[in-house]
Amino acid sequence: MLAALGLAPVVAAVGCAGGSGSVPGDGSRALPIPPLAESSVGADGVRRFALRAGVGESEMVLGKKTPTWGYNGAVLGPTLRAARGETVAVTVRNALPEMTTVHWHGMHVPARMDGGPYQPIQPDGDWTATWTISQQAASLWYHPHPHGSTEKHVYRGLSGFFLLDDADTNALELPKTYGVDDIPLVIQDRRFSPDGALDESDPSDVGLLGDTILTNGINRAHLDVRTSRVRLRILNGSSGRLYNLGFADGRDFALIATDGGLLPAPLRRDRVLISPGERVEIVVAFDGDARTMLRSFPIENRGTLPAREAASFGFDDSFDILEFRTGRTLEPAAALPDSLAHIAPVAPIGTAADRSFELQWFMINRARMDMNRIDFTVAVDTTQVWTVRNVDNWPHNFHVHDVQFQIIAVDDAPPPPELAGWKDTVFTPPGPVFTLAMRFTDHADPNYPYMFHCHLLLHEDHGMMGQFLVLAPGQRAAPVRMNMDTDMNMDTDTAAGGSSGSEMGGMPHH
Ligand code: C2O
Ligand code: CU
Ligand code: CU
């Protein structure tokens, strides 16, 4: 069947963007653009993709060979792309030496297709997820989610973009030529040992904090700018590092979209903060013969995070992320539209919360993830209002599967405009209370839960995660049980949320 689908030949995601543009001696390389994944639409109208998770070797740092993991190549993965209303089927083959999963981050998807810890793919096995795209255009991503090992799998290179299109967004005058003026950009931090291997040792309390920045899989990349406006779809694909992005020359940009799609209108900004798992889309204007650098600046939004902790979590660091080179005449681009999307409020500010979550250490509401504990159930098609507060002296964020939510309040005030669009992950510095509103439409399933968790991957792996079922009226919870030894293919010592989770005292949260 895979052959009939035209399974893409194994193309390395890195290096395929035509390595032109390297200036001899300066060590910079052209930004690799992940290829668009091949797909075929059968007589049934289903758009089929094939991914193969496997091992390889890539040149993340010029001149060094690094063993990495990737989808359909040595590192990262092709960009999947589908339109609202389409039914997709993605077959994932696991050619890794261990169990993995593939999760569609930000996707409204049935729980059994979600690709979280309940959909393990054993080595040499495969899994097909199928669902109908029923959400607006957005820049989503896919990544492994094996229980207790997500950080390692992502760190070794497994992640890719999943772009969604819709007619309203296509009709807008936005840069939209993939790889030319519409650029996917995943930012990750890594550490290398002297032999070029990824250094997986000695995680800090926020995980594998790296000193080397990779963009689309390589260090020290540049982009040759050909148009007077460039749209960047930026994903923080790091384990635990936040980025406060801006330009070295101080130029501003338009923030046009967050995790779940377009904002109501472009916002003029000179900085934008993204925590692990979050995405933003920005449009940057260029003219003339100038170079500039996209840079990450020290993190300003720290809540009550103590200075010494903040420093140890990388909050004071600055990095060059991507150089932009405009050495020739630029193709003119249309001005940005004044308005982008209409966002209907899910619930008004002041709506009483249905539940509340406190984030602390590796726990949510003082409990660590337990595969045998469903934390709560939600009635399908009801509006949920949740409050989330980081009561820790660590940074955390909060991600919910299946939905895009709205932040309706930060403490008692409306959210700042950059947080007023659709979100699936929100940075929660210590202190403020974030009130989220969301609706779990359709996809009720008494057997398979969805996850909510901190997206700092070390925290998630150590149990800063919980699970809930979405139930239809009259349905009773009947969660599937996973066998931690055979299904999960892991020894329980490393299953941080398993046995150790219950030793921590899995107190019910309310
Ligand atoms: Cu990006 Cu539960 O994941
Ligand atoms: Cu997710
Ligand atoms: Cu956390």
Side-chain angles (χ1 to χ4, degrees):
M1 177 166 165
L2 286 181
L5 302 178
L7 175 61
V10 177
V11 179
V14 164
C16 58
S20 68
S22 301
V23 178
D26 88 340
S28 174
R29 288 176 284 172
L31 180 75
I33 304 296
L36 285 169
E38 289 180 25
S39 62
S40 62
V41 180
D44 55 3
V46 175
R47 182 174 295 283
R48 292 189 157 76
F49 297 93
L51 294 175
R52 175 187 177 275
V55 304
E57 200 174 61
S58 48
E59 204 173 347
M60 291 175 149
V61 173
L62 193 62
K64 281 190 195 280
K65 295 257 180 288
T66 302
T68 50
W69 289 2
Y71 297 108
N72 300 1
V75 73
L76 299 175
T79 296
L80 307 186
R81 192 153 198 174
R84 180 172 200 158
E86 279 191 303
T87 298
V88 298
V90 190
T91 297
V92 187
R93 170 135 202 100
N94 182 5
L96 299 170
E98 61 185 74
M99 184 275 284
T100 192
T101 81
V102 180
H103 167 60
W104 322 105
H105 179 125
M107 196 77 75
H108 178 47
V109 64
R112 61 186 67 204
M113 302 299 172
D114 191 42
Y118 286 84
Q119 287 81 39
I121 316 168
Q122 301 302 337
D124 292 321
D126 55 42
W127 173 67
T128 297
T130 182
W131 71 95
T132 300
I133 309 289
S134 56
Q135 67 196 89
Q136 64 186 327
S139 300
L140 310 184
W141 65 301
Y142 61 96
H143 66 79
H145 213 301
H147 192 50
S149 316
T150 295
E151 181 179 51
K152 183 178 77 177
H153 284 216
V154 174
Y155 188 75
R156 290 181 178 179
L158 293 169
S159 58
F161 281 90
F162 202 137
L163 306 184
L164 302 184
D165 298 305
D166 68 28
D168 292 344
T169 306
N170 288 345
L172 293 171
E173 287 272 17
L174 291 172
K176 56 183 75 138
T177 308
Y178 183 82
V180 176
D181 62 4
D182 183 357
I183 308 287
L185 183 66
V186 52
I187 305 175
Q188 298 173 305
D189 59 329
R190 295 290 184 267
R191 271 182 297 130
F192 295 89
S193 32
D195 64 354
L198 286 168
D199 181 351
E200 297 180 356
S201 69
D202 189 35
S204 76
D205 286 336
V206 294
L208 292 156
L209 215 52
D211 54 13
T212 304
I213 298 296
L214 308 183
T215 48
N216 294 352
I218 68 167
N219 179 233
R220 300 201 54 206
H222 65 263
L223 181 73
D224 285 314
V225 174
R226 286 180 256 169
T227 54
S228 64
R229 281 198 169 72
V230 174
R231 173 187 192 171
L232 300 171
R233 303 178 187 248
I234 305 174
L235 159 66
N236 181 344
S238 301
S239 295
R241 188 181 280 288
L242 287 79
Y243 301 98
N244 184 22
L245 299 173
F247 286 88
D249 62 3
R251 77 180 60 204
D252 63 10
F253 50 84
L255 176 66
I256 60 165
T258 54
D259 302 335
L262 292 170
L263 290 165
L267 300 172
R268 281 272 138 219
R269 287 293 182 271
D270 61 9
R271 292 284 189 277
V272 65
L273 178 69
I274 45 174
S275 71
E278 289 184 294
R279 287 87 60 214
V280 290
E281 293 183 29
I282 66 173
V283 176
V284 194
F286 293 95
D287 54 22
D289 190 6
R291 290 184 175 198
T292 188
M293 184 68 84
L294 180 67
R295 184 167 282 166
S296 180
F297 295 90
I299 311 299
E300 289 149 20
N301 178 3
R302 303 176 172 207
T304 58
L305 197 63
R308 204 157 41 90
E309 268 86 348
S312 74
F313 302 138
F315 276 47
D316 295 339
D317 298 347
S318 273
F319 290 101
D320 286 348
I321 305 284
L322 178 65
E323 189 189 18
F324 293 81
R325 298 181 177 175
T326 55
R328 45 186 141 163
T329 331
L330 300 177
E331 266 175 55
L336 290 181
D338 294 330
S339 84
L340 298 170
H342 173 69
I343 298 184
V346 175
I349 188 168
T351 308
D354 299 286
R355 51 191 73 249
S356 60
F357 302 87
E358 282 193 352
L359 312 180
Q360 187 173 34
W361 195 47
F362 295 129
M363 300 181 293
I364 299 177
N365 291 335
R366 295 168 176 264
R368 290 168 82 179
M369 171 75 170
D370 182 343
M371 291 289 284
N372 294 314
R373 181 191 71 235
I374 297 295
D375 292 273
F376 54 89
T377 65
V378 168
V380 72
D381 282 328
T382 58
T383 297
Q384 289 285 307
V385 175
W386 296 358
T387 63
V388 184
R389 182 166 190 219
N390 177 348
V391 297
D392 208 350
N393 54 1
W394 290 356
H396 296 292
N397 67 13
F398 192 78
H399 168 54
V400 187
H401 285 211
D402 185 46
V403 286
Q404 294 291 333
F405 54 74
Q406 284 175 6
I407 299 165
I408 61 172
V410 180
D411 288 330
D412 294 320
E418 63 271 17
L419 294 183
W422 294 107
K423 297 283 294 165
D424 56 53
T425 307
V426 57
F427 173 52
T428 52
V433 178
F434 290 80
T435 305
L436 318 181
M438 67 206 91
R439 236 183 136 83
F440 294 90
T441 56
D442 45 74
H443 301 333
D445 189 329
N447 308 128
Y448 285 89
Y450 292 109
M451 307 295 128
F452 60 95
H453 57 90
C454 177
H455 216 289
L456 277 63
L457 299 178
L458 177 81
H459 295 183
E460 173 187 338
D461 284 342
H462 280 291
M464 196 164 193
M465 178 157 72
Q467 42 186 357
F468 60 96
L469 291 165
V470 175
L471 298 179
Q475 260 179 353
R476 291 189 44 190
V480 294
R481 289 270 181 257
M482 303 297 282
N483 182 318
M484 296 302 283
D485 298 319
T486 55
D487 296 338
M488 310 306 281
N489 190 27
M490 64 198 313
D491 84 62
T492 32
D493 289 351
T494 60
S499 54
S500 54
S502 30
E503 279 159 31
M504 287 302 304
M507 289 187 226
H509 64 274
H510 264 164

